[in-house]
Amino acid sequence: MQVNEFKPKIVAFCCNWCSYAGADLAGSNRLAYPAEVKVIRVPCSCRVNPMFILRAFQRGADGVIICGCHPGDCHYTSGNYYTRRRMALLFSMLDYLGIEKGRTRVEWVSAAEGAKFAQTMNDFVQTVTALGENKRLEDLRCKK
Amino acid sequence: MQRIGVFVCWCGSNIAGTVDVKAVAEALKNEPGVVHSANYQYMCSQAGQELIKDAIKEHKLTGIVVCSCSPRMHEGTFRKTAEAAGLNPYMVEIANIREQCSWIHKDIAEGTEKAIVLGRTAIAKVNLNAPLMAGESPVTKRALVIGGGIAGIQTALDIADAGFEVDIVETKPTIGGKMAQLDKTFPTLDCAACILTPKMVDVAQHEKIKIYSYSEVVDVRGFVGNFEVTIKKRARFVKEDICTGCGLCTEKCPQKKVPNEFNLGMDNRRAIYIPFAQAVPKVATIDPNYCTMLKTGKCGVCAKVCTANAIDYTQKDEFIDQKYGAIVAATGFNPISMEKFDEFAYSQSKDVITSLEFERLMNAAGPTAGKLVRPSDGKHPQKIVFVQCVGSRCAACAEKGKEYCSKICCMYTAKHAMLTRDKYPDTDVTVFYIDVRTPGKNFDEFYRRAAEEYGVHYIKGMVGKISPEGDKLMVRASDLLANKQINMEADLVVLAAAIEPDKSARPLATMLTASMDTNDFFTEAHPKLRPVESPTAGVFLSGCCQGPKDIPETVSQAGAAAAKVIGLLAKDKLKGNPCVAHSDEMMCNGCSSCEKVCPYGAITYEDKEFRGPNRTTLIRRIAKVNEAICQGCGCCTVACPSGAMDLKGFASKQIMAEVDAICK
Amino acid sequence: MRKCLLQNQNKLFDQISSFASLYIPVETTGGNASFKKYEQGMVMSDVLKTDRSPKDLFFPQTENLMEFKTSGKNIEVIDNRKESEDFVVFGVRGCDVKSFEVLDRVFLVEPVDTYYATRREHGIIVSMACGRPAETCFCQTFGIDASAPEGDIVCYKTEDALYLDAKTEKGKNLLSKLADVTEESDGKEALKQKEQIKTVLAKLPLANLKADSFGKDKTKEFFDAPEWQILSKSCLGCGTCTFVCPTCQCYDIKDFKTKDGVQRFRCWDSCMYSEFTKMSAGQPRLTQLERFRQRFMHKLVYYPTNNDGLFSCVGCGRCISKCPISMNIVKVMKALGGIDNE
Amino acid sequence: MQKINREVLINKANELLSNGTINRVFGWEKGDFSYDVTPTIYFTADQMNKKFIFDDFCGANFSKYLVAETKKDQNKVGVFLKPCDTYSFNQLLTEHRFDKEKVYAIGVPCDGMVDEKKIKAFFGEGISSITSEGDEIIVDTLYDGVKKVKKADVLQERCQNCKSKKHVYYDELIGEDGEVLDSNRFDEVEKLEKMTADERFAFWQNELSKCIRCNACRDVCPACTCEKCVFNNPNSGVENKSPANEFEEKMFHIIRAFHVAGRCTDCGECSRVCPQGIPLHLLNRKFIKDINSFYGNYQAGEQEGSRAPLTNYTKEDLEPSEAVNKGDN
């Protein structure tokens, strides 16, 4: 099947305090997840501007995932609560515009949840792979 | 254009095992801005660091990318390395090719390809890095403790013992707080006054501590290390430095009918008064609401009897401005009002009292000199009912009670029951409870002693109604374990009222820009890891203003807060985190979105004059970030619609460059 | 003159599109139309004015100029132009046809804009007389006759037929290829319609609007007129008027970073924008008043000064119906020309 | 209710101008046709007598003009505000965009504004005059004589779905105040939500492809008062002058809607001014609808100083995954 040939590009925004540490822990425990996932470190999930997400799709990403501390555990006390609202509204809007909802995700991963990080990424890559290439938010110029 | 050096680490075989490090170094050579690319077995080793330093000098590098382990591991190391070679430490970026690459991928081709992308991403970012300088601010070596209860006292003593000046601001005429009103303390039953009053004396005598009693904080400006506080010292109409506290005036004052708040209104005091014998400062205070002299100008008895000439009817409120490096909130708690609990007949019957009133009744220095009698007729109560959780754990009655557990009631009720049975073995004591919570050292043993040795009847169930019938009180309750309704006569009912933060906390939090939860308890910077710090830098939390606590817990938290303050004041200068938000004033709209989401209150506004087109000037409201307060979360950058707000070190353009590099 | 019965209209279109791309006005939503590439079965709209003018087809809103490709530290320049195919635009109104003359005088003088020039060379314009001019029309002000438009072929649409009259070599050439679907005609019907249109035109509310007080070398007269202040007062500074205008020709050249290189493209710009012609020292026209004045002075004074008195407004009236705040060149002309100040 | 006509408003403005309360007033100015009303500023009653108009085409909302106008000098500016305009006014006050002490707001009633595009869609181009008589609109056309249409049928979309006839801010009110209304303004959004993702994508692809990036929607929007828009700022990384392709069309409109989410009062100006007829309000209303259903009803501008939903949170907010699945059955 052709679908299996397709390797999606995934951008993962991870907050420095929980999720990035969770990703490190996944590494320390040698918990594999696909190489298609590339992490961008941000101080807090609330640093992620919707523009970054659209930018990623424009530039050829097939999926974007944002990981932050669990609600209530934010290093900055309230950052991820804002992330939650912003992304709830943004994702709902993308869905409204007919963009496949599987392409975006928010997941709370603590510094202790290396296994959850790996599992989340495996699952997300699988979902995005099934959706295939991002056609609805692509910018062909960026593929040249 | 940057001159970037790339350093790919093997980490022995940790990276080199699944990533072709030489190929990575070779591939990254061609990235924009890269002028040097090297690989080495252990970049973090002395030799590896020397290699980086040499390359910085030799190739005149303006930025470096280290492809190695997680930045959480060695970012600090390589920043120091860069700094040692004369490069700004924030011109260093780490590509995490170990934890997030070599360790999770088995295929060398795959690992190598990903490592190149991660390296490219870090290069794209460093291309847009700018040198960052951490700001420095001096620290005023003086602390302010707001609240003079046991929490404030302990914090002040600990800070002062470390050699720093401390001021305590207390709204009451004396320090001591709630603990001064208590009789005995659980679970050891030692008398509260015996352990508290020596500490109060220590405070009074400590050369580093100054007490502003009968005073309040009215304004707070500035930020961590540099707070400026205005304290209002209310006129007490007695010259504090002259009054000897002899108490003669308080005996001679003709106005005798002033409810004594120290005894919760259960007896009276004079218009000029000293709250209790061991008050600190032991100075009289005139209550302007009752003093005939102040109200009508006719009387002056106290002035006549005062041999020290300490009375001054013309005294005015005084405002004192003082600078502090740190502020500790220790504003404490109060029992909630029982007015709304009609079902418990608190307002109808004098013989329904709160636990704090019971403390005063049992106290040898209390209104009855420690004799337990009914407030209505002075008779000895034969049957006492204690009702637990009045207004606590009360999700359904949010308009009058509290959702949370007040934490201390189970234990003090056990104490009250035990003391009653000990002193008056003929008294029948029943406690109605939802659960008995005893998570503390020797707590459960204490409770079981009350129930088992002292014969206190514990009934699991809620009291539904209390109604005065004749000179008795009828208690209607349910016994959940026996599954039956109980009607019980009682002579005295004691309500374990929920506790709530003192009313002064909310306006104080506003002044401090410290956040509060919906119950008006101060919020911690982190509920687990920074429990005695407020999210606002330089503001610390001590005692019940943060949440319900018993005395040992309060004291240990007070000590912890003091330790944090000492840690702060011990520094001569505060070095800030340079990765802070910054607002471009040319683009700022002054809309306040950023201010609203800032958890630290780091953003303020000012009206600034700008040059408009054609030689006009216009005034615009713009945001200013206080870099000493900002912690760099970046929440404001997304709240800002115009993009005026950006985060140094994680600028929008940098993140977008990373996105571009990954998606390429 | 050739005649094509309306029932054969689509045969005509099919025929044209068999050898060239054909663009016709197609109805979009209630009373609006835009030029679309003809596909079999499409219906030509009778709506007077398309939302955007046919300028787009010769001077598109964005147009790639060239590409740069980088590999390692090498750069390769790629010419990616592909505007050299023949195309026909059918149903261009008289005002819009005239707009090409205005654009030609900008793009076809030295240095010639080869992108535009190639499109002009390959494009054939079939104009359409306006059966029902609207109240917003004022082409007469600029000497344009909506009953006798210019173009390679002029078309009159009557109740049952299209009458096609070739005016240029290009037009004759095209008509000759359409002999199967057209027949020879004496053009009486067309003439009749022409006269009919003339009587309507005379009755239009803006029929008497005159541009006489504007034109060549009038800069000093109008530049400091106090009216600009109040006229520009409510201008939002959006680009609607410029983007729907058939004669606005300003553009910006920008680079877009592609995967492995750069795409250089041009896109329309608007003198109403605060970022227009921004230089290192900022933009020369600091306030909306200056930007607003620039647009109208350019249409009515600067352009005529440089182009033998030809105005760069063709009176199509699009800005009248599209401006969010209903400010437009007619109101400007009336205010400055004194008509509105009596 | 007594019909409030232009004379009443001119008299009021004259009174305020001559007693020194204000020295200029924003008002509508009649145009060359029946429908091309322009917002302008008047300094004298004389000017108003000549040009002021108050009729079915006075849709323009002056609130945004106050941002720049109040900064010009120390004098008070008068402004006529229809009920929906007052929401924008309040929202701008909430965001500290101007000082209300420098404005004298005169609330005027509104029974809905007419959309000339709808009239033209009915009768074609060539309109000589439009007058209203009771609930009917009488249109004189160049080609087909006099026509009549129910006013309700040619109201602007935002007026057909009017959310409030109540003024939430004014210094003085002319006429009686109305009520907040129950409107069907989310019906269209719901219709789209019920479509499949493919259908929605096709719908928006078609609509947004019409965009010419004239920025009229943004420049008229009372919530878009940024000193410099990110799309105009070469340093923002997202600047562009024209939509080079489908992605940029979507990017612009998604981000614009997101930037005004929770701040948009649903005044409908964006859709009214779009020269391409894109139903832009359906983007903003989606955010409003979501905000209402996710975080409780919130009407931007209703209360000065209220905290916008995106600068607020509760610990129990729903997860983004729940948000996108909420529409699913």
Side-chain angles (χ1 to χ4, degrees), chain D residues 11-31:
Chain D
N11 289 342
K12 176 46 70 187
N14 189 21
E15 176 196 324
L16 294 166
L17 285 167
S18 48
N19 70 17
T21 308
I22 56 174
N23 84 329
R24 57 202 190 280
V25 60
F26 276 107
W28 302 274
E29 178 181 338
K30 68 173 178 233

PDB file of all heavy atoms in Angstrom, chain D residues 11-31:
ATOM      1  N   ASN D  11     -30.624  69.076  15.578  1.00  0.00           N
ATOM      2  CA  ASN D  11     -30.896  69.977  16.693  1.00  0.00           C
ATOM      3  C   ASN D  11     -30.092  69.634  17.922  1.00  0.00           C
ATOM      4  O   ASN D  11     -29.546  70.486  18.602  1.00  0.00           O
ATOM      5  CB  ASN D  11     -32.394  69.965  17.033  1.00  0.00           C
ATOM      6  CG  ASN D  11     -33.199  70.666  15.957  1.00  0.00           C
ATOM      7  OD1 ASN D  11     -32.654  71.425  15.162  1.00  0.00           O
ATOM      8  ND2 ASN D  11     -34.498  70.379  15.922  1.00  0.00           N
ATOM      9  N   LYS D  12     -30.034  68.320  18.182  1.00  0.00           N
ATOM     10  CA  LYS D  12     -29.263  67.875  19.349  1.00  0.00           C
ATOM     11  C   LYS D  12     -27.795  68.256  19.183  1.00  0.00           C
ATOM     12  O   LYS D  12     -27.170  68.825  20.078  1.00  0.00           O
ATOM     13  CB  LYS D  12     -29.435  66.355  19.512  1.00  0.00           C
ATOM     14  CG  LYS D  12     -28.635  65.694  20.606  1.00  0.00           C
ATOM     15  CD  LYS D  12     -28.664  66.394  21.937  1.00  0.00           C
ATOM     16  CE  LYS D  12     -30.011  66.322  22.633  1.00  0.00           C
ATOM     17  NZ  LYS D  12     -30.007  67.183  23.853  1.00  0.00           N
ATOM     18  N   ALA D  13     -27.247  67.959  17.983  1.00  0.00           N
ATOM     19  CA  ALA D  13     -25.838  68.270  17.734  1.00  0.00           C
ATOM     20  C   ALA D  13     -25.602  69.769  17.835  1.00  0.00           C
ATOM     21  O   ALA D  13     -24.624  70.221  18.429  1.00  0.00           O
ATOM     22  CB  ALA D  13     -25.433  67.751  16.355  1.00  0.00           C
ATOM     23  N   ASN D  14     -26.528  70.525  17.291  1.00  0.00           N
ATOM     24  CA  ASN D  14     -26.415  71.985  17.330  1.00  0.00           C
ATOM     25  C   ASN D  14     -26.369  72.479  18.774  1.00  0.00           C
ATOM     26  O   ASN D  14     -25.541  73.308  19.140  1.00  0.00           O
ATOM     27  CB  ASN D  14     -27.603  72.595  16.579  1.00  0.00           C
ATOM     28  CG  ASN D  14     -27.415  74.085  16.397  1.00  0.00           C
ATOM     29  OD1 ASN D  14     -26.282  74.573  16.478  1.00  0.00           O
ATOM     30  ND2 ASN D  14     -28.505  74.797  16.167  1.00  0.00           N
ATOM     31  N   GLU D  15     -27.247  71.924  19.576  1.00  0.00           N
ATOM     32  CA  GLU D  15     -27.290  72.305  20.993  1.00  0.00           C
ATOM     33  C   GLU D  15     -25.941  72.024  21.666  1.00  0.00           C
ATOM     34  O   GLU D  15     -25.381  72.865  22.362  1.00  0.00           O
ATOM     35  CB  GLU D  15     -28.410  71.493  21.663  1.00  0.00           C
ATOM     36  CG  GLU D  15     -28.541  71.685  23.152  1.00  0.00           C
ATOM     37  CD  GLU D  15     -29.403  70.565  23.767  1.00  0.00           C
ATOM     38  OE1 GLU D  15     -30.379  70.127  23.103  1.00  0.00           O
ATOM     39  OE2 GLU D  15     -29.058  70.118  24.865  1.00  0.00           O
ATOM     40  N   LEU D  16     -25.393  70.827  21.404  1.00  0.00           N
ATOM     41  CA  LEU D  16     -24.134  70.441  22.044  1.00  0.00           C
ATOM     42  C   LEU D  16     -22.964  71.252  21.507  1.00  0.00           C
ATOM     43  O   LEU D  16     -22.040  71.599  22.241  1.00  0.00           O
ATOM     44  CB  LEU D  16     -23.870  68.952  21.827  1.00  0.00           C
ATOM     45  CG  LEU D  16     -24.861  67.997  22.499  1.00  0.00           C
ATOM     46  CD1 LEU D  16     -24.706  66.581  21.947  1.00  0.00           C
ATOM     47  CD2 LEU D  16     -24.663  67.995  24.017  1.00  0.00           C
ATOM     48  N   LEU D  17     -23.019  71.575  20.207  1.00  0.00           N
ATOM     49  CA  LEU D  17     -21.950  72.373  19.623  1.00  0.00           C
ATOM     50  C   LEU D  17     -21.996  73.799  20.156  1.00  0.00           C
ATOM     51  O   LEU D  17     -20.973  74.380  20.506  1.00  0.00           O
ATOM     52  CB  LEU D  17     -22.077  72.396  18.090  1.00  0.00           C
ATOM     53  CG  LEU D  17     -21.663  71.131  17.333  1.00  0.00           C
ATOM     54  CD1 LEU D  17     -22.149  71.188  15.888  1.00  0.00           C
ATOM     55  CD2 LEU D  17     -20.152  70.934  17.360  1.00  0.00           C
ATOM     56  N   SER D  18     -23.197  74.325  20.267  1.00  0.00           N
ATOM     57  CA  SER D  18     -23.261  75.731  20.666  1.00  0.00           C
ATOM     58  C   SER D  18     -23.091  75.920  22.172  1.00  0.00           C
ATOM     59  O   SER D  18     -22.607  76.956  22.599  1.00  0.00           O
ATOM     60  CB  SER D  18     -24.565  76.377  20.170  1.00  0.00           C
ATOM     61  OG  SER D  18     -25.649  75.554  20.493  1.00  0.00           O
ATOM     62  N   ASN D  19     -23.424  74.911  22.982  1.00  0.00           N
ATOM     63  CA  ASN D  19     -23.169  75.113  24.414  1.00  0.00           C
ATOM     64  C   ASN D  19     -21.766  74.680  24.821  1.00  0.00           C
ATOM     65  O   ASN D  19     -21.421  74.659  26.003  1.00  0.00           O
ATOM     66  CB  ASN D  19     -24.252  74.464  25.287  1.00  0.00           C
ATOM     67  CG  ASN D  19     -24.185  72.945  25.265  1.00  0.00           C
ATOM     68  OD1 ASN D  19     -23.177  72.355  24.870  1.00  0.00           O
ATOM     69  ND2 ASN D  19     -25.261  72.315  25.696  1.00  0.00           N
ATOM     70  N   GLY D  20     -20.975  74.268  23.816  1.00  0.00           N
ATOM     71  CA  GLY D  20     -19.569  74.005  24.105  1.00  0.00           C
ATOM     72  C   GLY D  20     -19.283  72.621  24.644  1.00  0.00           C
ATOM     73  O   GLY D  20     -18.141  72.320  24.994  1.00  0.00           O
ATOM     74  N   THR D  21     -20.301  71.765  24.730  1.00  0.00           N
ATOM     75  CA  THR D  21     -20.045  70.399  25.202  1.00  0.00           C
ATOM     76  C   THR D  21     -19.078  69.691  24.262  1.00  0.00           C
ATOM     77  O   THR D  21     -18.159  68.997  24.684  1.00  0.00           O
ATOM     78  CB  THR D  21     -21.371  69.597  25.248  1.00  0.00           C
ATOM     79  OG1 THR D  21     -22.324  70.359  25.986  1.00  0.00           O
ATOM     80  CG2 THR D  21     -21.177  68.250  25.908  1.00  0.00           C
ATOM     81  N   ILE D  22     -19.302  69.883  22.979  1.00  0.00           N
ATOM     82  CA  ILE D  22     -18.433  69.265  21.973  1.00  0.00           C
ATOM     83  C   ILE D  22     -18.032  70.344  20.972  1.00  0.00           C
ATOM     84  O   ILE D  22     -18.647  71.404  20.914  1.00  0.00           O
ATOM     85  CB  ILE D  22     -19.159  68.128  21.210  1.00  0.00           C
ATOM     86  CG1 ILE D  22     -20.459  68.656  20.565  1.00  0.00           C
ATOM     87  CG2 ILE D  22     -19.494  66.972  22.152  1.00  0.00           C
ATOM     88  CD1 ILE D  22     -21.168  67.647  19.685  1.00  0.00           C
ATOM     89  N   ASN D  23     -16.954  70.077  20.208  1.00  0.00           N
ATOM     90  CA  ASN D  23     -16.636  71.051  19.166  1.00  0.00           C
ATOM     91  C   ASN D  23     -16.708  70.450  17.775  1.00  0.00           C
ATOM     92  O   ASN D  23     -16.482  71.108  16.788  1.00  0.00           O
ATOM     93  CB  ASN D  23     -15.279  71.709  19.418  1.00  0.00           C
ATOM     94  CG  ASN D  23     -14.135  70.885  18.892  1.00  0.00           C
ATOM     95  OD1 ASN D  23     -14.214  69.661  18.864  1.00  0.00           O
ATOM     96  ND2 ASN D  23     -13.077  71.556  18.475  1.00  0.00           N
ATOM     97  N   ARG D  24     -16.989  69.152  17.716  1.00  0.00           N
ATOM     98  CA  ARG D  24     -17.206  68.516  16.412  1.00  0.00           C
ATOM     99  C   ARG D  24     -17.971  67.219  16.650  1.00  0.00           C
ATOM    100  O   ARG D  24     -17.973  66.690  17.765  1.00  0.00           O
ATOM    101  CB  ARG D  24     -15.877  68.231  15.710  1.00  0.00           C
ATOM    102  CG  ARG D  24     -14.901  67.363  16.510  1.00  0.00           C
ATOM    103  CD  ARG D  24     -13.485  67.601  15.976  1.00  0.00           C
ATOM    104  NE  ARG D  24     -12.481  66.683  16.482  1.00  0.00           N
ATOM    105  CZ  ARG D  24     -11.888  66.781  17.680  1.00  0.00           C
ATOM    106  NH1 ARG D  24     -12.252  67.703  18.547  1.00  0.00           N
ATOM    107  NH2 ARG D  24     -10.929  65.942  18.019  1.00  0.00           N
ATOM    108  N   VAL D  25     -18.592  66.749  15.600  1.00  0.00           N
ATOM    109  CA  VAL D  25     -19.419  65.561  15.793  1.00  0.00           C
ATOM    110  C   VAL D  25     -19.331  64.663  14.570  1.00  0.00           C
ATOM    111  O   VAL D  25     -19.353  65.123  13.428  1.00  0.00           O
ATOM    112  CB  VAL D  25     -20.886  65.952  16.109  1.00  0.00           C
ATOM    113  CG1 VAL D  25     -21.493  66.774  14.981  1.00  0.00           C
ATOM    114  CG2 VAL D  25     -21.745  64.729  16.378  1.00  0.00           C
ATOM    115  N   PHE D  26     -19.171  63.367  14.848  1.00  0.00           N
ATOM    116  CA  PHE D  26     -19.201  62.396  13.757  1.00  0.00           C
ATOM    117  C   PHE D  26     -20.640  62.175  13.335  1.00  0.00           C
ATOM    118  O   PHE D  26     -21.520  61.986  14.177  1.00  0.00           O
ATOM    119  CB  PHE D  26     -18.605  61.058  14.202  1.00  0.00           C
ATOM    120  CG  PHE D  26     -17.119  61.018  14.087  1.00  0.00           C
ATOM    121  CD1 PHE D  26     -16.322  61.070  15.220  1.00  0.00           C
ATOM    122  CD2 PHE D  26     -16.508  60.915  12.840  1.00  0.00           C
ATOM    123  CE1 PHE D  26     -14.944  61.019  15.115  1.00  0.00           C
ATOM    124  CE2 PHE D  26     -15.127  60.872  12.723  1.00  0.00           C
ATOM    125  CZ  PHE D  26     -14.338  60.923  13.859  1.00  0.00           C
ATOM    126  N   GLY D  27     -20.868  62.214  12.022  1.00  0.00           N
ATOM    127  CA  GLY D  27     -22.212  61.957  11.522  1.00  0.00           C
ATOM    128  C   GLY D  27     -22.135  61.458  10.091  1.00  0.00           C
ATOM    129  O   GLY D  27     -21.064  61.449   9.483  1.00  0.00           O
ATOM    130  N   TRP D  28     -23.277  61.058   9.590  1.00  0.00           N
ATOM    131  CA  TRP D  28     -23.318  60.520   8.238  1.00  0.00           C
ATOM    132  C   TRP D  28     -23.581  61.640   7.231  1.00  0.00           C
ATOM    133  O   TRP D  28     -24.270  62.603   7.527  1.00  0.00           O
ATOM    134  CB  TRP D  28     -24.405  59.454   8.140  1.00  0.00           C
ATOM    135  CG  TRP D  28     -24.195  58.330   9.104  1.00  0.00           C
ATOM    136  CD1 TRP D  28     -23.433  57.221   8.919  1.00  0.00           C
ATOM    137  CD2 TRP D  28     -24.767  58.203  10.422  1.00  0.00           C
ATOM    138  NE1 TRP D  28     -23.487  56.409  10.030  1.00  0.00           N
ATOM    139  CE2 TRP D  28     -24.283  56.978  10.968  1.00  0.00           C
ATOM    140  CE3 TRP D  28     -25.622  58.983  11.203  1.00  0.00           C
ATOM    141  CZ2 TRP D  28     -24.643  56.534  12.243  1.00  0.00           C
ATOM    142  CZ3 TRP D  28     -25.971  58.545  12.473  1.00  0.00           C
ATOM    143  CH2 TRP D  28     -25.476  57.331  12.980  1.00  0.00           C
ATOM    144  N   GLU D  29     -23.051  61.445   6.038  1.00  0.00           N
ATOM    145  CA  GLU D  29     -23.214  62.458   5.008  1.00  0.00           C
ATOM    146  C   GLU D  29     -23.853  61.822   3.780  1.00  0.00           C
ATOM    147  O   GLU D  29     -23.457  60.747   3.348  1.00  0.00           O
ATOM    148  CB  GLU D  29     -21.835  63.019   4.624  1.00  0.00           C
ATOM    149  CG  GLU D  29     -21.903  64.055   3.527  1.00  0.00           C
ATOM    150  CD  GLU D  29     -20.506  64.585   3.138  1.00  0.00           C
ATOM    151  OE1 GLU D  29     -19.568  64.482   3.953  1.00  0.00           O
ATOM    152  OE2 GLU D  29     -20.385  65.084   2.014  1.00  0.00           O
ATOM    153  N   LYS D  30     -24.847  62.497   3.229  1.00  0.00           N
ATOM    154  CA  LYS D  30     -25.536  61.921   2.074  1.00  0.00           C
ATOM    155  C   LYS D  30     -24.638  61.996   0.839  1.00  0.00           C
ATOM    156  O   LYS D  30     -23.771  62.852   0.739  1.00  0.00           O
ATOM    157  CB  LYS D  30     -26.876  62.621   1.833  1.00  0.00           C
ATOM    158  CG  LYS D  30     -26.774  64.055   1.383  1.00  0.00           C
ATOM    159  CD  LYS D  30     -28.166  64.576   1.018  1.00  0.00           C
ATOM    160  CE  LYS D  30     -28.069  66.026   0.619  1.00  0.00           C
ATOM    161  NZ  LYS D  30     -28.976  66.894   1.333  1.00  0.00           N
ATOM    162  N   GLY D  31     -24.860  61.053  -0.072  1.00  0.00           N
ATOM    163  CA  GLY D  31     -23.998  60.969  -1.240  1.00  0.00           C
ATOM    164  C   GLY D  31     -24.720  61.351  -2.511  1.00  0.00           C
ATOM    165  O   GLY D  31     -25.701  62.105  -2.485  1.00  0.00           O
TER     166      GLY D  31
END
